[in-house]
Structures are given as structure tokens and as C-alpha cells.
Amino acid sequence: MYVNDEQFNEEELHPLSKRFRGFLPVVIDVETGGFDCQTDGLLEIAATTVTMDDRGDLKPDKTFVFNVVPFEGANLDPAALEFTGIDPHHPFREADPEETVFTELLQAIRKQVKAHDCTRAVLVGHNAHFDHGFVMAAVERCQIKRNPFHPFSVFDTATLAGLAFGQTVLAKACQTAEIAFDNAEAHSAAYDTEKTAELFCLIVNRWKDLGGFPTPTSD
């Protein structure tokens, strides 16, 4: 694509576009009916995008939360349902089919990618390949073509927290990082996503403050 030099000024790009090689971090958490993304049902998904302030610090931005109707024929392991406390058949659950959920969610994420002058999204998760697998499997089932997420790269906060705080469990990592964490609220996609986003931003910001990465707006 041709860009007129007189109209284009790199300094006008959102600073976040320069931080992760043009990727917009999007924190995802899924609650499921099992561990197999191909056979087990997706029950909840939440996504929190991040943004960057004038100091070059990351912070959580927008959160999107959906209850999901398990796809036809999906396996629902009773042990997984007991662990999450989710009743997929509860009459007041207000869940939507996967196609509806992912059409709306990915459209919102593409909008945030564009708003931050990024080229695509990269999934951030706690044990991220689990969440990435369920997202990609659902997108494939729904035959959605415009998927903003990188097909295989992720940022894993379990790994980052192990490096930064010596903890790989989300609750313990947050406690060590002095992020408030309520175990009674855990295993809700919305709550876990927002706490993972706080943890991710804190680690990235602390690394910057220690001199590990220059502020994108600096010379």
C-alpha cells in the first residue's frame, strides 16, 4: 500500500503499536466442559484488551464477556462443571451460540487492533495455549475467516509470573505481586481475565521500569 510521506507521520501512531512488534495483547480466559478443545464444550469466554498511557505503561482497557452455548455434540465432563460451578442448562444463563459470540468478539478485537495502529492481536493467557486452542477450535467450527489472533504465538502469564515472582498459579502470582485476588470469584472467565490482565501489565511495566525495554515514545 502506498502512503504519501506528507500524510504519514510515524510519531502519530499509537505508542502501543511499537511495543510488541505491531501486536495488540488481548487477554483471554475460557471456562470449558473439559480439557480437549476439539471435543469439549466452551462455556464462557472473556477478553480484556490493553492500552498504553503517555508514560509508556500498559493498563487494562476494555473487557468483553460472553456465556456460550456448547456446540452440538460437545462433551461436558461433570468434574469440569463441578470445578467451574457452571450449569450450562440454567434457564437464566443467557448464553449465545459460538457463531454469535465469536462474530461479535472478534469484530470488537479487530476494532481495538485498528485503534492502536497494530497489525494483529496476540493472545495473552494464564497457561495460554489452553485458551488459544479453544479459541482457534471455535473459530474453525464457526468458519470465521477474519481472525485477528496470531495462529500460534501467545504470551503466557504463567511463564512470566514464574520468572518475575516464582509463582505459576494465578492466585499465588497475584498475591505475590500484591494484586488483590478473591478465590471465591476465581474460575469465572470475567474475573480471571481481568486479574490476568493486571498481572500481565504489572510484569511488563516493571520490566520497563528496570530498564529492560525503552519507552516507545522515547528517543
Side-chain angles (χ1 to χ4, degrees):
M1 180 179 66
Y2 172 77
V3 179
N4 189 318
D5 289 338
E6 294 180 356
Q7 297 176 341
F8 178 76
N9 185 348
E10 185 177 355
E11 293 182 357
E12 294 178 357
L13 294 176
H14 196 286
L16 184 51
S17 68
K18 307 171 190 177
R19 177 60 180 87
F20 300 104
R21 205 167 63 84
F23 293 167
L24 175 71
V26 179
V27 184
I28 295 284
D29 185 79
V30 298
E31 301 297 334
T32 68
F35 296 107
D36 191 326
C37 61
Q38 298 297 329
T39 61
D40 298 336
L42 177 62
L43 305 177
E44 292 181 7
I45 184 168
T48 297
T49 59
V50 303
T51 191
M52 182 177 281
D53 64 21
D54 293 338
R55 295 184 61 252
D57 285 335
L58 289 190
K59 59 182 181 180
D61 190 16
K62 301 181 184 302
T63 296
F64 309 90
V65 183
F66 300 89
N67 291 332
V68 186
V69 177
F71 64 90
E72 186 175 356
N75 178 60
L76 299 173
D77 186 336
L81 300 183
E82 182 178 0
F83 179 74
T84 62
I86 297 173
D87 179 0
H89 309 295
H90 194 286
F92 302 130
R93 190 163 170 263
E94 298 182 355
D96 292 309
E98 282 186 344
E99 185 174 2
T100 301
V101 168
F102 278 89
T103 297
E104 183 176 341
L105 176 60
L106 297 187
Q107 182 179 23
I109 291 173
R110 288 196 302 269
K111 184 177 180 180
Q112 291 303 305
V113 169
K114 183 177 181 180
H116 288 84
D117 299 309
C118 291
T119 57
R120 71 189 319 164
V122 60
L123 187 147
V124 181
H126 205 76
N127 299 309
H129 284 289
F130 178 83
D131 303 281
H132 187 269
F134 273 89
V135 168
M136 291 301 172
V139 169
E140 183 176 356
R141 280 193 296 269
C142 298
Q143 299 182 338
I144 296 174
K145 303 300 182 184
R146 297 183 63 197
N147 182 358
F149 283 108
H150 194 286
F152 53 83
S153 291
V154 297
F155 294 158
D156 181 20
T157 53
T159 302
L160 293 172
L163 170 67
F165 301 113
Q167 300 287 351
T168 58
V169 175
L170 179 60
K172 291 183 178 180
C174 286
Q175 290 164 3
T176 304
E178 299 183 346
I179 295 172
F181 193 94
D182 185 349
N183 284 300
E185 296 289 335
H187 307 305
S188 154
Y191 188 80
D192 287 0
T193 299
E194 291 182 341
K195 290 302 171 181
T196 301
E198 287 184 53
L199 181 64
F200 175 71
C201 291
L202 186 150
I203 293 172
V204 172
N205 293 340
R206 185 168 297 183
W207 179 251
K208 176 184 69 70
D209 292 343
L210 291 171
F213 189 88
T215 303
T217 54
S218 64
D219 292 334

